[in-house]
Amino acid sequence: MRTWLLSFLCLSGIVSMQAQTYIEDLRVVSPKPLSDVNGRLTVTITADRMTDVSAFCVEELTPGGIQLTKGGRGKFRVDTKRLPAGPFTIQLRGTNAQGERDMYELQLYNVNPKAARHAGIPDTIPQGAADMECVFWDDFDKEDISISVDGRGVRYNAHKPTFGDFSGWPFRSPTSDAEGPFVQRDDYLIIQARKPEGSRGSTGLLATVDMDGNGFWARPPFYMECRMMAQSAPGTWPAFWTVTNIHRGIGDELDIIEAYGGWGDGNPNSPDYWCTAHYWGQTDADGNELKAPCKLISMADHGSGSSWSEEFHTYGLFVDESYTIYYLDDEEVLRHPTNPVSYAHPHVLLVNYAIGGASGWKVDLERYGNRSNMYVDYIRVFQRP
């Protein structure tokens, strides 16, 4: 995760992969972002410069589009029984005759008792975990999240161990405040990104070892996975990843998912995500920086075809002596030879919702009241006995 990433993505064509011009035009009048909803949901919007607007929640909610008045106001209704229980996203997509587009993601929480609920951690064994035992898991179904400022004496550290917090909205320690970075609800961990007026903002990170290096380390051969969902908005940067060394020097970093949110000029403009390895402090036989694999994962080509912000997906990683394999919803999406450091050393797990910072992307969450959520359903790790 480095600042050169912005220029790298530009050279890779990610910034310009959408030919259309994106503008910020769509607004939601009601309900407010992150509201609880139940029964018949009415969504009221404004779109001053858009002529065609549709709403999606994985599938289209408004066949034929949303009727707009001359003043650019429109609304649509949907039965919340049709929507996922708990957290879900309604994605508004707008266009006009000038070729301008807009994308707005409305995060809501469905409390309708008749909505279909997921089953939590599945009983099935992922294909990457064959012949392994589950040694670490968290369904986040308990109110006590067990996290502290340094991780000592609890399960999770609220900061990257020993050095290197990298979010523009700083990672904060747990608080009793309902607007703090960590909230447990139903069987989800909610990582809350918030920026009250006049503040630097705050958001959250989980690491499985404390500042002394004590805690859970995944030892190869292993398979690990995380089921999660976040919002695509300018500056959002959700990730699930590992590192083999919490001190500066030689070490491997494996980014299982590194996603970048936002549509419009200066934003990634991609619904996809990156699988990336970093071989820190290592050189090849010629003394050059050791190159590591990197791949943009096209989510439209896998599973339901929905993006990381539209619904929950499960992101997995397998490491043994021969191969490192990345999974999306139990489907292999990238394989490369395992770097010796990745196999020889144990790995720390990290899950975070960074906002801006070292990513290099701009931050603009004004349309959402400077409030955005990442939802973590579960994490689990399997190891070979």
Side-chain angles (χ1 to χ4, degrees), residues 270-342:
S270 173
D272 307 317
Y273 72 91
W274 289 89
C275 293
T276 307
H278 300 281
Y279 302 149
W280 303 116
Q282 301 168 61
T283 57
D284 60 22
D286 297 324
N288 300 315
E289 181 180 346
L290 187 61
K291 294 182 178 179
C294 177
K295 182 181 179 181
L296 180 68
I297 308 303
S298 174
M299 300 197 73
D301 298 333
H302 303 280
S304 67
S306 62
S307 73
W308 52 269
S309 66
E310 291 180 86
E311 66 175 334
F312 280 95
H313 292 280
T314 304
Y315 306 90
L317 176 72
F318 169 86
V319 177
D320 74 359
E321 188 173 9
S322 301
Y323 292 105
T324 297
I325 306 173
Y326 304 75
Y327 292 89
L328 169 61
D329 293 331
D330 212 24
E331 178 185 351
E332 181 179 328
V333 292
L334 174 64
R335 174 188 295 240
H336 61 78
T338 296
N339 194 48
V341 172
S342 288

Side-chain angles (χ1 to χ4, degrees), residues 90-103:
I90 292 178
Q91 193 177 80
L92 299 171
R93 305 174 191 174
T95 62
N96 63 23
Q98 289 72 44
E100 296 173 326
R101 292 174 175 255
D102 194 14
M103 190 84 75

Side-chain angles (χ1 to χ4, degrees), residues 77-229:
R77 296 181 178 86
V78 61
D79 187 347
T80 56
K81 293 196 301 290
R82 293 178 50 201
L83 303 173
F88 70 97
T89 300
I90 292 178
Q91 193 177 80
L92 299 171
R93 305 174 191 174
T95 62
N96 63 23
Q98 289 72 44
E100 296 173 326
R101 292 174 175 255
D102 194 14
M103 190 84 75
Y104 182 104
E105 293 201 346
L106 176 63
Q107 291 184 308
L108 298 170
Y109 202 96
N110 190 1
V111 297
N112 191 325
K114 296 182 179 179
R117 308 194 68 85
H118 75 88
I121 294 181
D123 295 329
T124 56
I125 303 299
Q127 64 166 314
D131 303 321
M132 295 186 181
E133 296 178 355
C134 191
V135 296
F136 183 95
W137 65 92
D138 202 332
D139 200 14
F140 300 106
D141 58 354
K142 298 179 177 61
E143 291 186 7
D144 180 14
I145 303 172
S146 190
I147 179 172
S148 73
V149 60
D150 56 16
R152 294 185 176 98
V154 294
R155 196 170 206 191
Y156 299 110
N157 189 345
H159 297 272
K160 185 179 177 183
T162 73
F163 75 93
D165 276 0
F166 47 85
S167 177
W169 293 13
F171 295 129
R172 297 293 189 194
S173 303
T175 68
S176 58
D177 185 356
E179 292 288 270
F182 305 102
V183 172
Q184 188 277 336
R185 184 173 186 182
D186 297 329
D187 53 356
Y188 302 102
L189 169 69
I190 307 175
I191 301 180
Q192 300 186 141
R194 301 289 187 269
K195 190 179 182 184
E197 187 174 354
S199 75
R200 294 180 58 202
S202 67
T203 187
L205 174 148
L206 296 180
T208 57
V209 304
D210 64 22
M211 290 300 181
D212 301 317
N214 299 315
F216 177 77
W217 295 80
R219 299 183 178 277
F222 67 70
Y223 171 85
M224 63 178 65
E225 65 181 10
C226 175
R227 186 173 186 262
M228 66 187 206
M229 176 177 68

